[in-house]
Amino acid sequence: MYDLIVVGGGPAGLAAARAAAEEGLQKILIAERDGEPGGILNQCIHNGFGLHYFKEELTGPEYALRFVRMIQKTQVEMKLDTMVLDVRPDLTVSMIGRAEGYQVHEARSVVLAMGCRERTRGALAIPGARPAGILTAGTAQRYVNVEGYMVGRRVVILGSGDIGLIMARRMTLEGAKVLACVEIMPYSGGLARNIAQCLHDNDIPLYLSHTLVDIRGRDRVEGVTAAKVDDLKNPVPGTEFTLDCDTILLSVGLIPENELTRKAGISMDERTRGAYVFDNMETTTPGIFACGNVVHVHDLVDYVTLEGERAGRAAAAYVNGGCGSADARTIALRADGDVSYTVPQYLRLSGEDAGSVPVFFRVRRNIVEGTVVVRDGDEKVAAFTRKHMSPGEMERIALPLRLLGRVRAGELSITVEKVAS
Amino acid sequence: MKEIIREMICIVCPNGCRLTVDDSGEIGGYQCERGLGYARDETVNPTRVLTSTVRVIGGVHRRCPVKTDRPVPKGLLMKAMERVNAVELTAPVECGQIILGNLLGTESNLVTTREIGRAKEIISEAQAP
Ligand SMILES: Cc1cc2nc3c(=O)[nH]c(=O)nc-3n(C[C@H](O)[C@H](O)[C@H](O)COP(=O)(O)OP(=O)(O)OC[C@H]3O[C@@H](n4cnc5c(N)ncnc54)[C@H](O)[C@@H]3O)c2cc1C
Ligand code: SF4
């Protein structure tokens, strides 16, 4: 019997396991299907990780290595090349490993940290032929950075997610010509700093409100046709232009990897495509917690780590019998107006009033000079001003617990308002 | 009235502040000193940290990620890549190993950013019954 089984050995899972070990849990297992821990960080060789958490700028592999070293100093057991097949509501976990075959383990608590995977072309329906040379940006990243294969010479990036932007720069450095980045939305899906240092730095044009209307080539991509789209995302006739490329990289979004979560019967939020979670990262199934990209897509690994630590500490508290006290009050967080979702979706107030609860959310459109307003019925309980918010960047507010104690309604509404000038 | 002659996004941290430079050279839009410094450098001598990979022989992976331990002038990035592409390491590789010192005279070193273990395949095949 394990005190805690962590599914996934990326930054979220590593942070959860380490925090739980620090809280005194003895028997902790991390199951990771890859041959090494670190998750997606191993292929993210660029820098820009850890500025919040370590106060220095690290590359993805360096950030991962720090956590792996910390884990090695604890009692935490790691099974690599081991894929979790099933997590049951009674906290039995089945897995299959290269070394040990099929195994079933019982646990007192479980942390889900499976991360996310990329949306693929099939999910998008681009017209045209089906030649070789079309791959997701993350797959290309793995080929180029870990396995050492160049994936193309003349590249068009479809979508402007961070992976696509990072790969635009990476491919340019490796001698490829990146012709354009084509984004259907009127705003970029990635961080502003990645637009600057990946596209602007290399003079790669970004076509917003554009999409690909045709892909040419029989065996290999030979070119694409792009066009402007109208407000309803329909191509505008007469705006077409062609790009002679041999490769298309798709960077059209990430989807939390939640097959296990669904099979376990855990309630899912259609907006985040992750589980509904309380402020301690517990799902609707007692004893099962979730953190990182499997809950909602993060831009920054630092926040993934902090979320993992919260899940790990809460799992330890659950095992030690100190969590989910019966008299705790539940408050739902309601995303209104331009706020598209919140994580957590629920707060459980135990009467404590020191500190604050971090609440993450995204907005639906670009907002300059906005105020995030938290309301209890008609009453404003908190407001946070922001210079700039965009759908491509996750926002975070810290709700002080002492304010929450006074909330009368069963839910708080979170909206964004324009600052009156 | 001063006129904004240049706008840029600060890349120093994920906040991505929108910086402005007006015709008198005054910088605006930053939220911290590092942003101000970035805008100054960017107008005189823009620099970037270079991250890439180098070839590894006999390792569990074929490539080892590397970075420059300080930013190098933007105009030298492609030239630096030529040097990077000529490097070949033999596993095992430690994280933080200096593989090229004083890259192109920039006082920046090229260092590895992960460890790469030696591939075990050959040994285990030999031991297989
Ligand atoms: C291309 C790219 C660029 C990024 N750039 C930055 C950046 O510059 N700065 C920054 O701070 N952040 C960046 N991020 C974000 C950050 O890297 C991620 O948010 C973070 O890695 C997510 O961590 P995670 O542990 O939730 O998921 P992951 O890292 O995806 O880890 C999940 C792990 O779970 C394992 N797993 C999944 N299912 C199972 C199963 N059934 N059984 C066993 N194991 C399983 C997977 O193998 C994987 O190792 C970037 C992300 C990407 C993709
Ligand atoms: S100005 Fe300061 S806070 Fe703003 S992006 Fe630059 S470093 Fe970050």
Side-chain angles (χ1 to χ4, degrees):
Chain A
M1 170 81 99
Y2 285 101
D3 288 334
L4 167 62
I5 294 179
V6 178
V7 187
L14 293 173
R18 172 169 165 265
E22 269 179 1
E23 295 291 314
L25 287 196
Q26 296 295 322
K27 286 210 62 176
I28 302 175
L29 170 69
I30 301 176
E32 167 57 56
R33 70 176 167 200
D34 211 342
E36 58 194 13
I40 196 84
L41 292 178
N42 289 321
Q43 67 185 64
C44 296
I45 62 156
H46 59 281
N47 65 339
F49 298 81
L51 270 168
H52 291 290
Y53 194 86
F54 290 113
K55 304 279 177 275
E56 60 182 302
E57 196 167 28
L58 302 171
T59 64
E62 289 174 310
Y63 190 96
L65 186 62
R66 291 214 178 175
F67 275 90
V68 171
R69 292 253 162 89
M70 289 188 233
I71 287 283
Q72 283 165 348
K73 293 201 187 97
T74 66
Q75 305 277 311
V76 174
E77 176 189 345
M78 191 143 22
K79 288 187 196 290
L80 298 172
D81 287 315
T82 301
M83 167 135 166
V84 172
L85 303 171
D86 216 6
V87 175
R88 264 161 256 149
D90 66 355
L91 308 186
T92 51
V93 180
S94 58
M95 52 189 86
I96 189 154
R98 197 170 274 180
E100 294 173 77
Y102 181 77
Q103 319 146 55
V104 180
H105 297 288
E106 289 176 25
R108 293 194 170 87
S109 65
V110 172
V111 169
L112 304 175
M114 292 89 75
C116 51
R117 63 159 175 267
E118 294 177 285
R119 235 180 257 261
T120 53
R121 186 187 177 203
L124 282 161
I126 312 165
R130 295 284 180 276
I134 308 176
L135 61 171
T136 65
T139 305
Q141 190 179 41
R142 195 177 168 89
Y143 278 138
V144 175
N145 290 346
V146 182
E147 299 179 17
Y149 299 103
M150 194 54 182
V151 296
R153 288 281 142 208
R154 294 175 65 81
V155 183
V156 167
I157 316 259
L158 178 63
S160 59
D162 284 314
I163 319 181
L165 300 176
I166 295 285
M167 282 310 287
R169 174 177 63 183
R170 186 77 189 104
M171 296 293 287
T172 307
L173 276 175
E174 289 294 341
K177 173 86 188 150
V178 180
L179 303 169
C181 176
V182 178
E183 167 63 60
I184 194 163
M185 301 303 281
Y187 48 78
S188 152
L191 297 173
R193 72 193 301 246
N194 287 338
I195 300 283
Q197 62 186 348
C198 300
L199 298 187
H200 295 176
D201 268 10
N202 297 302
D203 298 320
I204 298 167
L206 169 62
Y207 295 99
L208 296 174
S209 298
H210 275 72
T211 191
L212 298 187
V213 291
D214 189 31
I215 296 173
R216 276 175 291 118
R218 266 188 49 195
D219 300 327
R220 174 88 196 187
V221 174
E222 284 165 13
V224 296
T225 307
K228 207 174 161 51
V229 295
D230 61 20
D231 292 346
L232 298 172
K233 312 225 165 13
N234 296 316
V236 180
T239 62
E240 297 88 355
F241 57 94
T242 57
L243 295 162
D244 289 317
C245 59
D246 58 19
T247 304
I248 303 169
L249 298 187
L250 304 173
S251 182
V252 289
L254 299 163
I255 309 176
E257 186 136 355
N258 272 304
E259 283 69 23
L260 293 178
T261 321
R262 284 201 191 84
K263 264 206 291 184
I266 292 168
S267 304
M268 301 285 296
D269 186 335
E270 278 316 309
R271 300 163 304 175
T272 53
R273 293 169 173 259
Y276 281 109
V277 288
F278 291 92
D279 48 303
N280 65 350
M281 303 315 291
E282 190 167 20
T283 66
T284 52
T285 302
I288 302 186
F289 302 79
C291 54
N293 276 356
V294 79
V295 179
H296 59 139
V297 177
H298 290 68
D299 319 319
L300 293 181
V301 72
D302 307 66
Y303 293 134
V304 170
T305 296
L306 293 173
E307 212 173 84
E309 290 176 345
R310 263 189 304 134
R313 280 196 297 270
Y318 178 85
V319 171
N320 294 328
C323 163
S325 59
D327 49 298
R329 236 181 97 204
T330 300
I331 296 179
L333 294 179
R334 201 179 70 213
D336 279 330
D338 280 326
V339 176
S340 58
Y341 71 82
T342 68
V343 166
Q345 291 87 346
Y346 299 104
L347 306 176
R348 213 154 23 191
L349 302 181
S350 55
E352 203 177 311
D353 69 352
S356 61
V357 188
V359 176
F360 295 100
F361 62 93
R362 280 181 198 267
V363 292
R364 293 183 202 278
R365 58 188 180 87
N366 278 325
I367 296 164
V368 182
E369 306 283 347
T371 307
V372 185
V373 183
V374 183
R375 280 203 180 78
D376 171 17
D378 296 334
E379 194 193 334
K380 220 185 238 190
V381 291
F384 308 80
T385 55
R386 293 283 183 274
K387 269 199 162 146
H388 194 275
M389 286 180 270
S390 85
E393 311 203 350
M394 195 170 78
E395 295 293 329
R396 176 179 182 273
I397 54 173
L399 282 181
L401 283 172
R402 95 194 122 70
L403 292 179
L404 297 177
R406 293 190 228 124
V407 172
R408 286 161 300 159
E411 65 176 14
L412 283 173
S413 136
I414 302 190
T415 51
V416 177
E417 288 167 14
K418 198 99 180 103
V419 174
S421 49
Chain B
M1 182 69 191
K2 284 176 187 164
E3 212 179 315
I4 305 279
I5 52 165
R6 188 161 169 203
E7 285 181 291
M8 59 187 132
I9 293 159
C10 179
I11 62 166
V12 178
C13 90
N15 285 348
C17 293
R18 275 87 179 149
L19 310 177
T20 54
V21 186
D22 68 23
D23 50 7
S24 72
E26 199 177 319
I27 292 160
Y30 55 91
Q31 278 182 47
C32 74
E33 287 300 311
R34 297 176 63 200
L36 179 59
Y38 172 77
R40 285 212 185 102
D41 291 346
E42 201 60 11
T43 47
V44 209
N45 176 25
T47 60
R48 298 287 182 266
V49 168
L50 173 67
T51 58
S52 187
T53 62
V54 297
R55 190 172 301 126
V56 183
I57 305 294
V60 291
H61 296 297
R62 295 172 12 128
R63 310 291 297 187
C64 180
V66 296
K67 69 172 182 186
T68 56
D69 58 3
R70 58 175 79 180
V72 296
K74 215 165 112 178
L76 288 179
L77 289 175
M78 288 320 260
K79 193 133 195 92
M81 277 302 287
E82 286 171 21
R83 299 294 167 89
V84 170
N85 287 338
V87 173
E88 191 172 275
L89 301 177
T90 306
V93 179
E94 289 299 312
C95 181
Q97 229 172 287
I98 295 181
I99 50 177
L100 289 176
N102 191 16
L103 188 64
L104 302 173
T106 59
E107 287 178 27
S108 168
N109 303 310
L110 192 71
V111 299
T112 56
T113 56
R114 71 165 289 177
E115 37 190 40
I116 303 276
R118 214 175 286 152
K120 291 196 199 82
E121 274 143 48
I122 307 158
I123 310 165
S124 53
E125 256 169 48
Q127 284 169 349

